């Protein structure tokens, strides 16, 4: 929870690994509450679901109209260099995000359900030839969202193996930015570009240089 005017950047120490399992599932539930004028960047390291893993994540955002939040999620296909069946070998991956105002008024919701054993990830309209997926929500005021959107590009570059673009969220909630890439480095780089523009337009500050091991 962030009080009025508070600012924070939250990340993780390393990737979140969902190990193989033969029963039940792993679950994550997180709630972010932002008060008036608060600003939060939540940029965790990638999610790596192992073969035969089952995982459900629910993210709830409760945000004041004057606050801003950048919420990122990068999903890798698994340990694709570890075993031939690791790439998209997860049994079930469910990723849900819901945002509301403090009074309960809904802003938007999104739920991604991935079941590679039932539906091919390589089909057109899903992952096709890409391996890594980046999903970024920017909850902010309409004027900030328009300034950020005006500075962004969208492209499908088959030679480099990356595709990206942004669009408006409903109810003047902000923007959603999606990235597909053949490897994590490409997706991280595009998420970082979006983060840089968002922070500059909302706070007037630049993002820090990348760590030397990134």
């Amino acid at each position: 929870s962030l009080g009025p005017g508070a600012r924070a950047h939250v990340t993780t120490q390393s990737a979140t690994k969902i190990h193989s399992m033969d029963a039940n599932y792993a679950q994550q539930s997180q709630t972010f509450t932002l008060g008036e004028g608060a600003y939060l960047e939540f940029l965790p390291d990638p999610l790596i679901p192992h073969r035969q893993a089952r995982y459900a994540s629910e993210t709830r955002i409760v945000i004041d109209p004057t606050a801003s939040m950048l919420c990122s999620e990068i999903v890798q296909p698994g340990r694709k260099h570890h075993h031939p069946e690791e790439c998209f070998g997860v049994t079930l991956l469910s990723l849900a995000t819901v945002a509301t105002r403090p009074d309960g008024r809904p802003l938007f919701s999104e739920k991604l359900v991935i079941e590679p054993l039932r539906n091919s990830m390589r089909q057109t309209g899903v992952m096709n030839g890409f391996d890594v997926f980046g999903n970024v929500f920017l909850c902010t005021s309409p004027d900030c969202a328009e300034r950020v959107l005006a500075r962004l590009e969208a492209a499908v570059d088959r030679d480099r193996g990356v595709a990206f673009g942004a669009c408006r969220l409903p109810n003047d909630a902000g923007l959603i930015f999606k990235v597909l890439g053949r490897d994590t480095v490409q997706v991280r780089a595009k998420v970082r570009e979006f983060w840089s523009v968002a922070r500059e337009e909302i706070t007037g500050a630049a993002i820090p240089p990348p760590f030397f091991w990134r």
Side-chain angles (χ1 to χ4, degrees), residues 29-53:
S29 180
Q30 53 192 5
T31 300
F32 300 94
T33 304
L34 282 75
E36 183 178 352
Y39 176 73
L40 174 63
E41 297 171 346
F42 179 63
L43 299 168
D45 279 326
L47 177 71
I48 306 176
H50 292 196
R51 183 166 42 117
Q52 296 179 339

Side-chain angles (χ1 to χ4, degrees), residues 16 18 25-30 44-49 53-60 71-77 90 92-98 108-115 121 127 132-137 176 178:
T16 299
I18 313 301
Y25 60 95
Q27 183 176 13
Q28 173 182 264
S29 180
Q30 53 192 5
D45 279 326
L47 177 71
I48 306 176
R54 289 180 292 276
Y55 175 72
S57 173
E58 182 180 52
T59 299
R60 179 175 172 81
C71 182
S72 169
E73 192 165 47
I74 296 176
V75 183
Q76 294 184 196
V90 64
L92 172 65
L93 197 61
S94 174
L95 308 172
T97 303
V98 177
F108 66 86
S109 63
E110 180 186 69
K111 186 172 184 178
L112 304 175
V113 179
I114 300 168
E115 295 180 280
M121 300 297 292
M127 294 297 287
V132 184
F133 172 63
N135 202 30
V136 188
F137 296 99
I176 185 168
K178 294 182 182 288

Side-chain angles (χ1 to χ4, degrees), residues 3 15 35 39 46 56-57 59 66 69 74 83 105 139 142 156 164-165 170 179 188 192 197 202 204 214:
Y39 176 73
S57 173
T59 299
T66 62
M69 178 178 177
I74 296 176
H83 187 282
R105 181 163 58 91
C139 301
V156 177
F164 56 92
V179 190
R188 277 184 182 273
R192 183 177 175 83
V197 173
I202 296 171
R214 290 287 177 87

